[in-house]
Amino acid sequence: MLFNFFKSKDSAESKLFYKTDIHCHIMPGVDHGAQTVEESLQLIEAQQRWGIEQIILTSHVTDDTFENNPETLAEGFRVLSEGVKDAGNPIKLAYSAEYRIDTLFVNQLENGLIVPMPDNYLLLENAFIQEPIGLDRLLFDLKVKGYKVIMAHPERFPYYYGNLDRYKELHEAGNRFQINLLSLAGFFGKDAKKTAEWIVKNGMADFLGSDMHHIRHAETIDKYLHSGEYRKLLPWLERTVKNDIFKL
Ligand SMILES: [Fe+2]
């Protein structure tokens, strides 16, 4: 029933212009994204309809709520890889995580428990209430350690809305930005959408991500990919988005 939504709309215009998703919660049972392999497969198939061929799985790692570690992530990846193989699905998968900047992250970093993306990229998420204290220092230290920081959906943090120059500062410091398709689609409200478009038009959208947790997210993104709004934004997006640097 849910998938009737997609069936009539599998047209060329619904495609993404890249083949790699670098932010999603479709590893089964490790956070509040997909809970079963079946759900994971549904979400993977939705992405494949948009032309996605490879996915970096980025489950949450946060204090208290989702205290994942290299073992839980490896186990989720094993289960999903097996499910994908059994289903005969050709999707290419790799995994890392979406690391919230908190004490667990700092702990895991100190203890060598970070699972980076290919090529040492790290997807980091700010807190939503306020910018993490000492953020610039932490980002600098990560660079010194050889990590390439991708800030997850910077357009979703309200404390930046009155200070757009801060985005330029963070970007000029060498941090890469990953914008959510869901933000562009308006899923997180007008301010996040407007800010996402501003970041795109100011040349700072280095990556796009689905940040997909469940099928409603897929439906929202699908609708957006059919919109004139997406078509109008495409020339800007194509100029800076480089999701396909990853070869899985
Ligand atoms: Fe996420």
Side-chain angles (χ1 to χ4, degrees), residues 18 23-25 98 123 125 151-156 177-188 192-193 196 200 207-213 217 221 224:
Y18 55 86
H23 183 169
C24 63
H25 301 267
E98 177 181 17
L123 185 67
E125 181 188 53
M151 298 185 75
H153 45 66
E155 77 281 3
R156 291 194 58 199
F177 288 171
Q178 173 265 308
I179 305 303
N180 274 7
L181 286 167
L182 285 167
S183 300
L184 293 171
F187 189 85
F188 301 112
K193 179 181 170 68
V200 168
F207 300 96
L208 289 179
S210 72
D211 204 356
M212 184 195 268
H213 290 63
H217 284 160
I221 292 170
Y224 178 67

PDB file of all heavy atoms in Angstrom, residues 18 23-25 98 123 125 151-156 177-188 192-193 196 200 207-213 217 221 224:
ATOM      1  N   TYR A  18      23.221  12.022  -8.380  1.00  0.00           N
ATOM      2  CA  TYR A  18      24.397  11.299  -7.870  1.00  0.00           C
ATOM      3  C   TYR A  18      23.946   9.903  -7.449  1.00  0.00           C
ATOM      4  O   TYR A  18      22.742   9.620  -7.398  1.00  0.00           O
ATOM      5  CB  TYR A  18      25.024  12.062  -6.700  1.00  0.00           C
ATOM      6  CG  TYR A  18      24.063  12.372  -5.575  1.00  0.00           C
ATOM      7  CD1 TYR A  18      23.831  11.444  -4.556  1.00  0.00           C
ATOM      8  CD2 TYR A  18      23.367  13.576  -5.527  1.00  0.00           C
ATOM      9  CE1 TYR A  18      22.942  11.720  -3.527  1.00  0.00           C
ATOM     10  CE2 TYR A  18      22.481  13.856  -4.500  1.00  0.00           C
ATOM     11  CZ  TYR A  18      22.275  12.927  -3.503  1.00  0.00           C
ATOM     12  OH  TYR A  18      21.390  13.196  -2.491  1.00  0.00           O
ATOM     13  N   HIS A  23      24.209   9.620   4.228  1.00  0.00           N
ATOM     14  CA  HIS A  23      23.605   9.819   5.550  1.00  0.00           C
ATOM     15  C   HIS A  23      22.226   9.179   5.584  1.00  0.00           C
ATOM     16  O   HIS A  23      21.300   9.653   4.930  1.00  0.00           O
ATOM     17  CB  HIS A  23      23.500  11.324   5.850  1.00  0.00           C
ATOM     18  CG  HIS A  23      22.967  11.624   7.219  1.00  0.00           C
ATOM     19  ND1 HIS A  23      23.013  12.887   7.767  1.00  0.00           N
ATOM     20  CD2 HIS A  23      22.384  10.839   8.157  1.00  0.00           C
ATOM     21  CE1 HIS A  23      22.469  12.864   8.980  1.00  0.00           C
ATOM     22  NE2 HIS A  23      22.073  11.618   9.228  1.00  0.00           N
ATOM     23  N   CYS A  24      22.107   8.102   6.350  1.00  0.00           N
ATOM     24  CA  CYS A  24      20.794   7.474   6.499  1.00  0.00           C
ATOM     25  C   CYS A  24      20.792   6.527   7.695  1.00  0.00           C
ATOM     26  O   CYS A  24      21.841   6.157   8.216  1.00  0.00           O
ATOM     27  CB  CYS A  24      20.411   6.714   5.240  1.00  0.00           C
ATOM     28  SG  CYS A  24      21.528   5.361   4.908  1.00  0.00           S
ATOM     29  N   HIS A  25      19.599   6.179   8.101  1.00  0.00           N
ATOM     30  CA  HIS A  25      19.418   5.339   9.289  1.00  0.00           C
ATOM     31  C   HIS A  25      18.681   4.073   8.891  1.00  0.00           C
ATOM     32  O   HIS A  25      17.583   3.808   9.362  1.00  0.00           O
ATOM     33  CB  HIS A  25      18.687   6.132  10.370  1.00  0.00           C
ATOM     34  CG  HIS A  25      19.446   7.371  10.756  1.00  0.00           C
ATOM     35  ND1 HIS A  25      20.332   7.402  11.806  1.00  0.00           N
ATOM     36  CD2 HIS A  25      19.512   8.602  10.164  1.00  0.00           C
ATOM     37  CE1 HIS A  25      20.889   8.606  11.874  1.00  0.00           C
ATOM     38  NE2 HIS A  25      20.406   9.354  10.891  1.00  0.00           N
ATOM     39  N   GLU A  98      26.661   8.463  12.451  1.00  0.00           N
ATOM     40  CA  GLU A  98      26.439   9.899  12.627  1.00  0.00           C
ATOM     41  C   GLU A  98      26.769  10.185  14.093  1.00  0.00           C
ATOM     42  O   GLU A  98      25.995   9.828  14.985  1.00  0.00           O
ATOM     43  CB  GLU A  98      24.984  10.270  12.325  1.00  0.00           C
ATOM     44  CG  GLU A  98      24.691  11.744  12.578  1.00  0.00           C
ATOM     45  CD  GLU A  98      23.231  12.112  12.307  1.00  0.00           C
ATOM     46  OE1 GLU A  98      22.372  11.210  12.240  1.00  0.00           O
ATOM     47  OE2 GLU A  98      22.963  13.322  12.162  1.00  0.00           O
ATOM     48  N   LEU A 123      31.130  11.931   9.864  1.00  0.00           N
ATOM     49  CA  LEU A 123      29.875  12.685   9.866  1.00  0.00           C
ATOM     50  C   LEU A 123      29.541  13.072  11.302  1.00  0.00           C
ATOM     51  O   LEU A 123      29.269  12.210  12.140  1.00  0.00           O
ATOM     52  CB  LEU A 123      28.758  11.821   9.270  1.00  0.00           C
ATOM     53  CG  LEU A 123      27.393  12.494   9.091  1.00  0.00           C
ATOM     54  CD1 LEU A 123      27.462  13.594   8.025  1.00  0.00           C
ATOM     55  CD2 LEU A 123      26.325  11.475   8.722  1.00  0.00           C
ATOM     56  N   GLU A 125      27.383  15.491  14.135  1.00  0.00           N
ATOM     57  CA  GLU A 125      26.136  16.229  14.350  1.00  0.00           C
ATOM     58  C   GLU A 125      26.256  17.104  15.588  1.00  0.00           C
ATOM     59  O   GLU A 125      26.562  16.615  16.676  1.00  0.00           O
ATOM     60  CB  GLU A 125      24.987  15.222  14.537  1.00  0.00           C
ATOM     61  CG  GLU A 125      23.640  15.854  14.753  1.00  0.00           C
ATOM     62  CD  GLU A 125      22.586  14.822  15.133  1.00  0.00           C
ATOM     63  OE1 GLU A 125      22.811  14.042  16.095  1.00  0.00           O
ATOM     64  OE2 GLU A 125      21.535  14.788  14.501  1.00  0.00           O
ATOM     65  N   MET A 151      29.928  18.151   8.504  1.00  0.00           N
ATOM     66  CA  MET A 151      28.904  18.539   9.481  1.00  0.00           C
ATOM     67  C   MET A 151      27.532  18.128   8.936  1.00  0.00           C
ATOM     68  O   MET A 151      27.140  18.545   7.847  1.00  0.00           O
ATOM     69  CB  MET A 151      28.963  20.041   9.745  1.00  0.00           C
ATOM     70  CG  MET A 151      30.319  20.458  10.342  1.00  0.00           C
ATOM     71  SD  MET A 151      30.395  22.202  10.797  1.00  0.00           S
ATOM     72  CE  MET A 151      29.406  22.195  12.299  1.00  0.00           C
ATOM     73  N   ALA A 152      26.837  17.297   9.699  1.00  0.00           N
ATOM     74  CA  ALA A 152      25.521  16.812   9.276  1.00  0.00           C
ATOM     75  C   ALA A 152      24.487  17.926   9.392  1.00  0.00           C
ATOM     76  O   ALA A 152      24.439  18.637  10.397  1.00  0.00           O
ATOM     77  CB  ALA A 152      25.097  15.618  10.133  1.00  0.00           C
ATOM     78  N   HIS A 153      23.703  18.080   8.374  1.00  0.00           N
ATOM     79  CA  HIS A 153      22.593  19.046   8.304  1.00  0.00           C
ATOM     80  C   HIS A 153      22.751  20.325   9.149  1.00  0.00           C
ATOM     81  O   HIS A 153      21.959  20.577  10.061  1.00  0.00           O
ATOM     82  CB  HIS A 153      21.252  18.364   8.647  1.00  0.00           C
ATOM     83  CG  HIS A 153      21.282  17.458   9.854  1.00  0.00           C
ATOM     84  ND1 HIS A 153      21.495  17.915  11.125  1.00  0.00           N
ATOM     85  CD2 HIS A 153      21.108  16.124   9.958  1.00  0.00           C
ATOM     86  CE1 HIS A 153      21.449  16.908  11.970  1.00  0.00           C
ATOM     87  NE2 HIS A 153      21.225  15.804  11.290  1.00  0.00           N
ATOM     88  N   PRO A 154      23.743  21.148   8.831  1.00  0.00           N
ATOM     89  CA  PRO A 154      23.923  22.396   9.598  1.00  0.00           C
ATOM     90  C   PRO A 154      22.695  23.315   9.514  1.00  0.00           C
ATOM     91  O   PRO A 154      22.496  24.159  10.392  1.00  0.00           O
ATOM     92  CB  PRO A 154      25.151  23.045   8.943  1.00  0.00           C
ATOM     93  CG  PRO A 154      25.274  22.411   7.590  1.00  0.00           C
ATOM     94  CD  PRO A 154      24.744  21.019   7.746  1.00  0.00           C
ATOM     95  N   GLU A 155      21.891  23.112   8.483  1.00  0.00           N
ATOM     96  CA  GLU A 155      20.683  23.946   8.315  1.00  0.00           C
ATOM     97  C   GLU A 155      19.619  23.656   9.366  1.00  0.00           C
ATOM     98  O   GLU A 155      18.636  24.390   9.462  1.00  0.00           O
ATOM     99  CB  GLU A 155      20.092  23.729   6.908  1.00  0.00           C
ATOM    100  CG  GLU A 155      19.310  22.426   6.692  1.00  0.00           C
ATOM    101  CD  GLU A 155      20.187  21.201   6.464  1.00  0.00           C
ATOM    102  OE1 GLU A 155      21.428  21.323   6.531  1.00  0.00           O
ATOM    103  OE2 GLU A 155      19.625  20.106   6.233  1.00  0.00           O
ATOM    104  N   ARG A 156      19.820  22.623  10.172  1.00  0.00           N
ATOM    105  CA  ARG A 156      18.794  22.262  11.149  1.00  0.00           C
ATOM    106  C   ARG A 156      19.046  22.851  12.533  1.00  0.00           C
ATOM    107  O   ARG A 156      18.290  22.566  13.468  1.00  0.00           O
ATOM    108  CB  ARG A 156      18.675  20.744  11.255  1.00  0.00           C
ATOM    109  CG  ARG A 156      18.092  20.100  10.011  1.00  0.00           C
ATOM    110  CD  ARG A 156      17.693  18.669  10.286  1.00  0.00           C
ATOM    111  NE  ARG A 156      16.726  18.593  11.375  1.00  0.00           N
ATOM    112  CZ  ARG A 156      16.480  17.481  12.070  1.00  0.00           C
ATOM    113  NH1 ARG A 156      17.136  16.378  11.794  1.00  0.00           N
ATOM    114  NH2 ARG A 156      15.578  17.478  13.032  1.00  0.00           N
ATOM    115  N   PHE A 177      29.974  20.541   4.521  1.00  0.00           N
ATOM    116  CA  PHE A 177      28.567  20.552   4.943  1.00  0.00           C
ATOM    117  C   PHE A 177      27.773  19.497   4.191  1.00  0.00           C
ATOM    118  O   PHE A 177      27.916  19.359   2.972  1.00  0.00           O
ATOM    119  CB  PHE A 177      27.931  21.919   4.664  1.00  0.00           C
ATOM    120  CG  PHE A 177      28.399  23.041   5.568  1.00  0.00           C
ATOM    121  CD1 PHE A 177      28.025  24.348   5.284  1.00  0.00           C
ATOM    122  CD2 PHE A 177      29.179  22.796   6.691  1.00  0.00           C
ATOM    123  CE1 PHE A 177      28.437  25.396   6.101  1.00  0.00           C
ATOM    124  CE2 PHE A 177      29.607  23.837   7.510  1.00  0.00           C
ATOM    125  CZ  PHE A 177      29.227  25.142   7.213  1.00  0.00           C
ATOM    126  N   GLN A 178      26.919  18.804   4.921  1.00  0.00           N
ATOM    127  CA  GLN A 178      25.983  17.860   4.308  1.00  0.00           C
ATOM    128  C   GLN A 178      24.569  18.364   4.561  1.00  0.00           C
ATOM    129  O   GLN A 178      24.143  18.494   5.707  1.00  0.00           O
ATOM    130  CB  GLN A 178      26.156  16.451   4.901  1.00  0.00           C
ATOM    131  CG  GLN A 178      25.113  15.439   4.433  1.00  0.00           C
ATOM    132  CD  GLN A 178      23.963  15.321   5.409  1.00  0.00           C
ATOM    133  OE1 GLN A 178      24.180  15.106   6.588  1.00  0.00           O
ATOM    134  NE2 GLN A 178      22.720  15.455   4.926  1.00  0.00           N
ATOM    135  N   ILE A 179      23.870  18.668   3.496  1.00  0.00           N
ATOM    136  CA  ILE A 179      22.503  19.193   3.590  1.00  0.00           C
ATOM    137  C   ILE A 179      21.515  18.034   3.436  1.00  0.00           C
ATOM    138  O   ILE A 179      21.729  17.135   2.626  1.00  0.00           O
ATOM    139  CB  ILE A 179      22.274  20.247   2.473  1.00  0.00           C
ATOM    140  CG1 ILE A 179      23.341  21.359   2.547  1.00  0.00           C
ATOM    141  CG2 ILE A 179      20.866  20.828   2.545  1.00  0.00           C
ATOM    142  CD1 ILE A 179      23.420  22.084   3.844  1.00  0.00           C
ATOM    143  N   ASN A 180      20.425  18.088   4.201  1.00  0.00           N
ATOM    144  CA  ASN A 180      19.402  17.041   4.095  1.00  0.00           C
ATOM    145  C   ASN A 180      18.429  17.316   2.955  1.00  0.00           C
ATOM    146  O   ASN A 180      17.874  18.431   2.870  1.00  0.00           O
ATOM    147  CB  ASN A 180      18.578  16.975   5.386  1.00  0.00           C
ATOM    148  CG  ASN A 180      19.208  16.095   6.437  1.00  0.00           C
ATOM    149  OD1 ASN A 180      20.331  15.621   6.272  1.00  0.00           O
ATOM    150  ND2 ASN A 180      18.485  15.883   7.522  1.00  0.00           N
ATOM    151  N   LEU A 181      18.188  16.314   2.131  1.00  0.00           N
ATOM    152  CA  LEU A 181      17.113  16.435   1.137  1.00  0.00           C
ATOM    153  C   LEU A 181      15.798  16.747   1.839  1.00  0.00           C
ATOM    154  O   LEU A 181      14.964  17.501   1.331  1.00  0.00           O
ATOM    155  CB  LEU A 181      16.983  15.119   0.350  1.00  0.00           C
ATOM    156  CG  LEU A 181      18.078  14.852  -0.686  1.00  0.00           C
ATOM    157  CD1 LEU A 181      18.018  13.403  -1.145  1.00  0.00           C
ATOM    158  CD2 LEU A 181      17.946  15.797  -1.875  1.00  0.00           C
ATOM    159  N   LEU A 182      15.609  16.167   3.018  1.00  0.00           N
ATOM    160  CA  LEU A 182      14.370  16.404   3.775  1.00  0.00           C
ATOM    161  C   LEU A 182      14.224  17.871   4.159  1.00  0.00           C
ATOM    162  O   LEU A 182      13.117  18.402   4.205  1.00  0.00           O
ATOM    163  CB  LEU A 182      14.352  15.543   5.041  1.00  0.00           C
ATOM    164  CG  LEU A 182      14.069  14.055   4.833  1.00  0.00           C
ATOM    165  CD1 LEU A 182      14.401  13.272   6.106  1.00  0.00           C
ATOM    166  CD2 LEU A 182      12.617  13.823   4.427  1.00  0.00           C
ATOM    167  N   SER A 183      15.342  18.541   4.434  1.00  0.00           N
ATOM    168  CA  SER A 183      15.271  19.975   4.762  1.00  0.00           C
ATOM    169  C   SER A 183      14.844  20.760   3.536  1.00  0.00           C
ATOM    170  O   SER A 183      13.992  21.656   3.611  1.00  0.00           O
ATOM    171  CB  SER A 183      16.628  20.496   5.229  1.00  0.00           C
ATOM    172  OG  SER A 183      17.073  19.824   6.378  1.00  0.00           O
ATOM    173  N   LEU A 184      15.445  20.433   2.386  1.00  0.00           N
ATOM    174  CA  LEU A 184      15.073  21.127   1.137  1.00  0.00           C
ATOM    175  C   LEU A 184      13.609  20.892   0.821  1.00  0.00           C
ATOM    176  O   LEU A 184      12.923  21.746   0.266  1.00  0.00           O
ATOM    177  CB  LEU A 184      15.959  20.640  -0.021  1.00  0.00           C
ATOM    178  CG  LEU A 184      17.443  21.016   0.073  1.00  0.00           C
ATOM    179  CD1 LEU A 184      18.248  20.296  -0.999  1.00  0.00           C
ATOM    180  CD2 LEU A 184      17.629  22.534  -0.045  1.00  0.00           C
ATOM    181  N   ALA A 185      13.113  19.721   1.211  1.00  0.00           N
ATOM    182  CA  ALA A 185      11.707  19.374   0.946  1.00  0.00           C
ATOM    183  C   ALA A 185      10.754  20.045   1.929  1.00  0.00           C
ATOM    184  O   ALA A 185       9.539  19.938   1.783  1.00  0.00           O
ATOM    185  CB  ALA A 185      11.540  17.855   1.013  1.00  0.00           C
ATOM    186  N   GLY A 186      11.300  20.713   2.946  1.00  0.00           N
ATOM    187  CA  GLY A 186      10.451  21.413   3.910  1.00  0.00           C
ATOM    188  C   GLY A 186      10.009  20.563   5.088  1.00  0.00           C
ATOM    189  O   GLY A 186       9.200  21.004   5.915  1.00  0.00           O
ATOM    190  N   PHE A 187      10.548  19.367   5.217  1.00  0.00           N
ATOM    191  CA  PHE A 187      10.119  18.443   6.271  1.00  0.00           C
ATOM    192  C   PHE A 187      10.386  18.997   7.665  1.00  0.00           C
ATOM    193  O   PHE A 187       9.656  18.694   8.605  1.00  0.00           O
ATOM    194  CB  PHE A 187      10.854  17.098   6.091  1.00  0.00           C
ATOM    195  CG  PHE A 187      10.350  15.988   6.963  1.00  0.00           C
ATOM    196  CD1 PHE A 187       9.259  15.220   6.577  1.00  0.00           C
ATOM    197  CD2 PHE A 187      10.967  15.700   8.174  1.00  0.00           C
ATOM    198  CE1 PHE A 187       8.788  14.189   7.383  1.00  0.00           C
ATOM    199  CE2 PHE A 187      10.500  14.664   8.988  1.00  0.00           C
ATOM    200  CZ  PHE A 187       9.410  13.914   8.586  1.00  0.00           C
ATOM    201  N   PHE A 188      11.436  19.800   7.825  1.00  0.00           N
ATOM    202  CA  PHE A 188      11.787  20.322   9.148  1.00  0.00           C
ATOM    203  C   PHE A 188      11.367  21.790   9.320  1.00  0.00           C
ATOM    204  O   PHE A 188      11.865  22.480  10.207  1.00  0.00           O
ATOM    205  CB  PHE A 188      13.298  20.190   9.392  1.00  0.00           C
ATOM    206  CG  PHE A 188      13.784  18.773   9.302  1.00  0.00           C
ATOM    207  CD1 PHE A 188      14.610  18.376   8.266  1.00  0.00           C
ATOM    208  CD2 PHE A 188      13.394  17.828  10.242  1.00  0.00           C
ATOM    209  CE1 PHE A 188      15.055  17.063   8.177  1.00  0.00           C
ATOM    210  CE2 PHE A 188      13.832  16.512  10.156  1.00  0.00           C
ATOM    211  CZ  PHE A 188      14.665  16.129   9.123  1.00  0.00           C
ATOM    212  N   ALA A 192      14.479  25.860   8.322  1.00  0.00           N
ATOM    213  CA  ALA A 192      15.497  24.886   7.895  1.00  0.00           C
ATOM    214  C   ALA A 192      15.567  24.839   6.373  1.00  0.00           C
ATOM    215  O   ALA A 192      16.649  24.754   5.785  1.00  0.00           O
ATOM    216  CB  ALA A 192      15.181  23.505   8.462  1.00  0.00           C
ATOM    217  N   LYS A 193      14.417  24.931   5.737  1.00  0.00           N
ATOM    218  CA  LYS A 193      14.371  24.900   4.264  1.00  0.00           C
ATOM    219  C   LYS A 193      15.079  26.123   3.676  1.00  0.00           C
ATOM    220  O   LYS A 193      15.925  26.009   2.787  1.00  0.00           O
ATOM    221  CB  LYS A 193      12.902  24.863   3.814  1.00  0.00           C
ATOM    222  CG  LYS A 193      12.697  24.851   2.308  1.00  0.00           C
ATOM    223  CD  LYS A 193      11.189  24.845   2.015  1.00  0.00           C
ATOM    224  CE  LYS A 193      10.886  25.063   0.556  1.00  0.00           C
ATOM    225  NZ  LYS A 193      11.305  23.941  -0.286  1.00  0.00           N
ATOM    226  N   ALA A 196      18.765  25.897   4.274  1.00  0.00           N
ATOM    227  CA  ALA A 196      19.382  24.892   3.390  1.00  0.00           C
ATOM    228  C   ALA A 196      19.584  25.494   2.003  1.00  0.00           C
ATOM    229  O   ALA A 196      20.663  25.361   1.402  1.00  0.00           O
ATOM    230  CB  ALA A 196      18.497  23.649   3.314  1.00  0.00           C
ATOM    231  N   VAL A 200      23.069  26.196  -0.053  1.00  0.00           N
ATOM    232  CA  VAL A 200      23.272  25.677  -1.419  1.00  0.00           C
ATOM    233  C   VAL A 200      23.678  26.820  -2.353  1.00  0.00           C
ATOM    234  O   VAL A 200      24.668  26.727  -3.084  1.00  0.00           O
ATOM    235  CB  VAL A 200      21.983  24.997  -1.937  1.00  0.00           C
ATOM    236  CG1 VAL A 200      22.076  24.713  -3.435  1.00  0.00           C
ATOM    237  CG2 VAL A 200      21.716  23.699  -1.156  1.00  0.00           C
ATOM    238  N   PHE A 207      27.808  17.980   0.288  1.00  0.00           N
ATOM    239  CA  PHE A 207      27.164  16.672   0.176  1.00  0.00           C
ATOM    240  C   PHE A 207      25.672  16.832   0.434  1.00  0.00           C
ATOM    241  O   PHE A 207      25.250  17.731   1.160  1.00  0.00           O
ATOM    242  CB  PHE A 207      27.724  15.690   1.221  1.00  0.00           C
ATOM    243  CG  PHE A 207      29.205  15.430   1.101  1.00  0.00           C
ATOM    244  CD1 PHE A 207      30.118  16.139   1.880  1.00  0.00           C
ATOM    245  CD2 PHE A 207      29.697  14.481   0.206  1.00  0.00           C
ATOM    246  CE1 PHE A 207      31.486  15.912   1.772  1.00  0.00           C
ATOM    247  CE2 PHE A 207      31.065  14.243   0.091  1.00  0.00           C
ATOM    248  CZ  PHE A 207      31.961  14.962   0.874  1.00  0.00           C
ATOM    249  N   LEU A 208      24.898  15.923  -0.152  1.00  0.00           N
ATOM    250  CA  LEU A 208      23.485  15.812   0.209  1.00  0.00           C
ATOM    251  C   LEU A 208      23.290  14.470   0.894  1.00  0.00           C
ATOM    252  O   LEU A 208      24.037  13.517   0.647  1.00  0.00           O
ATOM    253  CB  LEU A 208      22.586  15.881  -1.032  1.00  0.00           C
ATOM    254  CG  LEU A 208      22.470  17.227  -1.732  1.00  0.00           C
ATOM    255  CD1 LEU A 208      21.562  17.106  -2.954  1.00  0.00           C
ATOM    256  CD2 LEU A 208      21.922  18.296  -0.779  1.00  0.00           C
ATOM    257  N   GLY A 209      22.289  14.403   1.753  1.00  0.00           N
ATOM    258  CA  GLY A 209      21.982  13.135   2.412  1.00  0.00           C
ATOM    259  C   GLY A 209      20.492  12.953   2.513  1.00  0.00           C
ATOM    260  O   GLY A 209      19.738  13.938   2.548  1.00  0.00           O
ATOM    261  N   SER A 210      20.054  11.714   2.538  1.00  0.00           N
ATOM    262  CA  SER A 210      18.612  11.469   2.704  1.00  0.00           C
ATOM    263  C   SER A 210      18.226  11.590   4.178  1.00  0.00           C
ATOM    264  O   SER A 210      17.115  11.996   4.493  1.00  0.00           O
ATOM    265  CB  SER A 210      18.234  10.071   2.187  1.00  0.00           C
ATOM    266  OG  SER A 210      18.723   9.067   3.056  1.00  0.00           O
ATOM    267  N   ASP A 211      19.134  11.245   5.087  1.00  0.00           N
ATOM    268  CA  ASP A 211      18.841  11.164   6.526  1.00  0.00           C
ATOM    269  C   ASP A 211      17.564  10.353   6.759  1.00  0.00           C
ATOM    270  O   ASP A 211      16.790  10.628   7.669  1.00  0.00           O
ATOM    271  CB  ASP A 211      18.727  12.566   7.147  1.00  0.00           C
ATOM    272  CG  ASP A 211      19.005  12.547   8.647  1.00  0.00           C
ATOM    273  OD1 ASP A 211      19.208  11.452   9.220  1.00  0.00           O
ATOM    274  OD2 ASP A 211      18.998  13.644   9.255  1.00  0.00           O
ATOM    275  N   MET A 212      17.363   9.375   5.910  1.00  0.00           N
ATOM    276  CA  MET A 212      16.125   8.612   5.910  1.00  0.00           C
ATOM    277  C   MET A 212      16.064   7.633   7.086  1.00  0.00           C
ATOM    278  O   MET A 212      17.002   6.891   7.342  1.00  0.00           O
ATOM    279  CB  MET A 212      16.117   7.859   4.582  1.00  0.00           C
ATOM    280  CG  MET A 212      14.918   7.064   4.282  1.00  0.00           C
ATOM    281  SD  MET A 212      15.397   5.971   2.920  1.00  0.00           S
ATOM    282  CE  MET A 212      14.894   6.968   1.561  1.00  0.00           C
ATOM    283  N   HIS A 213      14.957   7.695   7.838  1.00  0.00           N
ATOM    284  CA  HIS A 213      14.740   6.778   8.960  1.00  0.00           C
ATOM    285  C   HIS A 213      13.626   5.777   8.655  1.00  0.00           C
ATOM    286  O   HIS A 213      13.601   4.686   9.202  1.00  0.00           O
ATOM    287  CB  HIS A 213      14.318   7.545  10.213  1.00  0.00           C
ATOM    288  CG  HIS A 213      15.386   8.387  10.846  1.00  0.00           C
ATOM    289  ND1 HIS A 213      15.969   9.455  10.215  1.00  0.00           N
ATOM    290  CD2 HIS A 213      15.974   8.312  12.075  1.00  0.00           C
ATOM    291  CE1 HIS A 213      16.862  10.005  11.040  1.00  0.00           C
ATOM    292  NE2 HIS A 213      16.885   9.334  12.161  1.00  0.00           N
ATOM    293  N   HIS A 217       9.769   9.374   5.316  1.00  0.00           N
ATOM    294  CA  HIS A 217      10.874  10.193   4.801  1.00  0.00           C
ATOM    295  C   HIS A 217      11.078   9.943   3.304  1.00  0.00           C
ATOM    296  O   HIS A 217      11.286  10.876   2.527  1.00  0.00           O
ATOM    297  CB  HIS A 217      12.177   9.875   5.544  1.00  0.00           C
ATOM    298  CG  HIS A 217      12.261  10.471   6.919  1.00  0.00           C
ATOM    299  ND1 HIS A 217      13.118   9.995   7.883  1.00  0.00           N
ATOM    300  CD2 HIS A 217      11.595  11.516   7.476  1.00  0.00           C
ATOM    301  CE1 HIS A 217      12.983  10.732   8.989  1.00  0.00           C
ATOM    302  NE2 HIS A 217      12.064  11.649   8.765  1.00  0.00           N
ATOM    303  N   ILE A 221      10.827  12.740   0.283  1.00  0.00           N
ATOM    304  CA  ILE A 221      11.926  13.005  -0.653  1.00  0.00           C
ATOM    305  C   ILE A 221      11.465  12.743  -2.082  1.00  0.00           C
ATOM    306  O   ILE A 221      11.752  13.518  -3.007  1.00  0.00           O
ATOM    307  CB  ILE A 221      13.160  12.145  -0.299  1.00  0.00           C
ATOM    308  CG1 ILE A 221      13.760  12.618   1.030  1.00  0.00           C
ATOM    309  CG2 ILE A 221      14.224  12.214  -1.402  1.00  0.00           C
ATOM    310  CD1 ILE A 221      14.830  11.698   1.611  1.00  0.00           C
ATOM    311  N   TYR A 224       9.544  15.593  -3.355  1.00  0.00           N
ATOM    312  CA  TYR A 224      10.419  16.726  -3.629  1.00  0.00           C
ATOM    313  C   TYR A 224      11.163  16.554  -4.953  1.00  0.00           C
ATOM    314  O   TYR A 224      11.303  17.503  -5.732  1.00  0.00           O
ATOM    315  CB  TYR A 224      11.422  16.910  -2.479  1.00  0.00           C
ATOM    316  CG  TYR A 224      12.389  18.046  -2.723  1.00  0.00           C
ATOM    317  CD1 TYR A 224      11.933  19.366  -2.760  1.00  0.00           C
ATOM    318  CD2 TYR A 224      13.737  17.811  -2.946  1.00  0.00           C
ATOM    319  CE1 TYR A 224      12.808  20.409  -3.003  1.00  0.00           C
ATOM    320  CE2 TYR A 224      14.620  18.844  -3.192  1.00  0.00           C
ATOM    321  CZ  TYR A 224      14.152  20.150  -3.219  1.00  0.00           C
ATOM    322  OH  TYR A 224      15.005  21.181  -3.469  1.00  0.00           O
TER     323      TYR A 224
END
